[in-house]
Amino acid sequence: MITNIQRYSIYDGPGIRTTVFFKGCPLSCEWCHNPETQSYEGGQSYTPQELARIVLRDQMFFGETGGITISGGEPLAQDMEYMVEFLSFIKSKGIHITCDTCGDVPWENFEVVLPYVDLFLYDIKLATPELHKQYTGRDNQRIITNLNQLIGANCVRLAEVWLRIPVIGGVNDGDEMAKIMAIAPKCKVCLLPYHSMATGKWEKLNKMPTQFCTPSKEKMTQILADWQKAGFDTQIGG
């Protein structure tokens, strides 16, 4: 099930991309920017071939750096036979594929997409398991295990990995950020400051969104400097 096919996306990987938002996610993050994708119910259905034909209409805009991004929800919590059929067709056209994932899926789901994915945007939200469960509904044990395995030598194909960390004021912008840094493998890090633009989406779902604080520019600059000092290639956004 698909909630949206977003064209000319410049925030879901390198270059100009078409992002496909799949419906359904194992997490229920209280700050989710796409709460309409948390449930597995509803949405528009396509066959893999139909979906591929739709996104390939944009191929002329991708250039040398753009491509397709699968997001959600959680793209790796879908029917993986469907996903492989879709991705293999896209890859046969020589198109760059990015996968935006929360990581909380069976490792086997990563394995089946590794032959096709060029870049993983891997979300790390919290390091403390109890806090992770409090704010997302699940602990982070499988997320951390999968991340280490994805980075490690067991991968069947070398895919690039960027960590994406939503910076939530009062939740993970203090001591928790240092704990995230301590468990993070050395790869590119994208710091994403929290914003409240999804409030209307929550209200349409008849749910009251939790109010979080947007970190100040000064706070973001400090966090950026801390990551860079620790030797990480880090940027705000991305």
Side-chain angles (χ1 to χ4, degrees):
M1 295 295 180
I2 309 296
T3 61
N4 188 26
I5 300 173
Q6 181 174 310
R7 293 178 166 82
Y8 206 86
S9 177
I10 57 174
Y11 300 109
D12 296 317
I16 297 172
R17 315 192 70 81
T18 293
T19 302
V20 181
F21 292 89
F22 289 87
K23 205 168 189 317
C25 184
L27 302 184
S28 51
C29 302
E30 293 186 14
W31 50 76
C32 183
H33 291 164
N34 298 310
E36 73 280 8
T37 67
Q38 289 185 353
S39 168
Y40 287 88
E41 299 176 356
Q44 176 68 47
S45 63
Y46 303 93
T47 67
Q49 297 81 7
E50 288 172 337
L51 184 59
R53 284 196 294 268
I54 290 170
V55 298
L56 286 174
R57 295 172 188 166
D58 305 326
Q59 186 173 1
M60 68 181 72
F61 301 109
F62 297 153
E64 295 183 359
T65 58
I68 301 295
T69 298
I70 54 173
S71 187
E74 173 50 57
L76 300 186
Q78 310 296 322
D79 180 335
M80 295 312 294
E81 290 185 5
Y82 177 105
M83 194 62 70
V84 166
E85 189 171 348
F86 169 65
L87 294 181
S88 62
F89 189 84
I90 296 297
K91 182 51 63 182
S92 72
K93 304 300 180 182
I95 295 174
H96 185 280
I97 296 174
T98 293
C99 175
D100 183 6
T101 179
C102 74
D104 195 4
V105 297
W107 170 248
E108 292 77 14
N109 292 15
F110 279 96
E111 286 186 307
V112 297
V113 301
L114 277 171
Y116 315 107
V117 174
D118 300 288
L119 169 65
F120 288 93
L121 303 178
Y122 202 106
D123 296 348
I124 294 292
K125 302 168 177 67
L126 295 152
T128 305
E130 295 79 11
L131 279 179
H132 200 279
K133 187 171 184 178
Q134 175 184 339
Y135 286 107
T136 75
R138 295 171 63 92
D139 68 33
N140 59 355
Q141 180 177 352
R142 184 160 66 170
I143 295 171
I144 301 303
T145 299
N146 283 342
L147 174 60
N148 291 330
Q149 196 156 355
L150 187 61
I151 295 290
N154 291 329
C155 293
V156 297
R157 178 173 178 270
L158 183 60
E160 192 175 3
V161 179
W162 296 0
L163 296 186
R164 298 221 297 184
I165 303 171
V167 183
I168 317 296
V171 176
N172 67 353
D173 61 340
D175 293 342
E176 188 66 19
M177 188 61 65
K179 295 178 182 179
I180 295 172
M181 192 183 303
I183 65 171
K186 281 294 190 294
C187 55
K188 184 171 181 176
V189 175
C190 302
L191 303 171
L192 310 178
Y194 168 79
H195 60 73
S196 59
M197 289 188 288
T199 299
K201 294 182 178 182
W202 283 97
E203 292 173 347
K204 287 182 179 179
L205 296 171
N206 295 318
K207 296 181 180 180
M208 182 62 68
T210 306
Q211 298 300 315
F212 294 101
C213 297
T214 299
S216 66
K217 290 183 178 180
E218 292 77 14
K219 187 67 172 180
M220 290 300 302
T221 300
Q222 173 202 326
I223 294 173
L224 174 66
D226 290 342
W227 278 91
Q228 291 176 335
K229 185 177 180 180
F232 290 86
D233 175 11
T234 313
Q235 66 184 41
I236 296 176

